[in-house]
């Protein structure tokens, strides 16, 4: 699971509708998988991100290279950094905890399991 995916996940336990995003990452195992750099694709993707959630999540997995505020202009260095953080950093194993209800979703073999037990839906 990449951070670009994580950035879109929120808790969906029944009744958990506020403060249920972003899911807090812990006990993660990271793997870097290199992929082709495409600045145009990155530029359009960055606009769709929840930036403050991204920098928090990145910090939770030990990445502290992102600027607090999304710059107006994206230079090459910035894009390369974002490329690494968003597209090449894979969370292989880990836990994602809802900041509201504390429900824990697991990431196993790179795949987030967002399924709930019947009583939670
Ligand atoms: Zn929740």
């Amino acid at each position: 699971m990449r951070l670009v995916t994580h950035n879109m996940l929120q808790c969906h336990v029944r009744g958990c509708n506020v403060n249920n995003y972003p899911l807090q990452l812990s006990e993660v195992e990271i793997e870097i998988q290199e992929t082709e750099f495409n600045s145009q694709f990155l530029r359009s993707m960055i606009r769709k991100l929840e930036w403050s959630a991204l920098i928090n999540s990145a910090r939770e997995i030990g990445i502290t290279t992102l600027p607090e505020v999304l710059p107006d202009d994206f230079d090459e260095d910035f894009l390369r950094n974002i490329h690494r953080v968003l597209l090449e950093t894979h969370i292989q194993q880990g836990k994602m905890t809802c900041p509201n209800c504390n429900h824990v979703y697991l990431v196993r073999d790179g795949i987030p399991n967002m399924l709930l037990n019947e009583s939670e839906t």
Side-chain angles (χ1 to χ4, degrees):
M1 177 186 70
R2 301 182 297 188
L3 282 183
V4 64
T5 304
H6 174 268
N7 199 250
M8 297 182 298
L9 298 178
Q10 61 182 39
C11 180
H12 58 111
V13 168
R14 182 180 42 182
C16 184
N17 305 314
V18 291
N19 189 32
N20 60 353
Y21 172 91
L23 300 175
Q24 293 162 353
L25 293 164
S26 62
E27 297 174 37
V28 292
E29 261 177 58
I30 302 290
E31 198 174 288
I32 301 296
Q33 295 172 20
E34 297 203 347
T35 183
E36 200 176 331
F37 178 74
N38 179 334
S39 68
Q40 229 170 358
F41 172 68
L42 277 169
R43 281 171 195 279
S44 69
M45 196 173 61
I46 290 166
R47 298 292 180 200
K48 297 180 192 135
L49 294 169
E50 194 62 55
W51 187 257
S52 62
L54 176 70
I55 53 173
N56 277 326
S57 305
R59 234 182 255 135
E60 285 165 357
I61 63 170
I63 298 170
T64 56
T65 53
L66 299 177
E68 287 291 322
V69 178
L70 185 61
D72 293 329
D73 241 2
F74 306 149
D75 62 17
E76 173 92 10
D77 277 356
F78 175 76
L79 289 172
R80 292 265 171 201
N81 185 17
I82 284 290
H83 175 72
R84 173 50 67 119
V85 173
L86 279 184
L87 302 181
E88 295 189 328
T89 304
H90 292 252
I91 297 167
Q92 291 301 103
Q93 320 287 344
K95 285 183 179 177
M96 304 187 292
T97 307
C98 172
N100 183 44
C101 74
N102 293 322
H103 184 82
V104 175
Y105 300 89
L106 296 177
V107 182
R108 285 289 169 258
D109 300 320
I111 298 169
N113 183 352
M114 300 304 288
L115 296 177
L116 298 170
N117 295 328
E118 208 145 300
S119 62
E120 297 163 328
T121 57

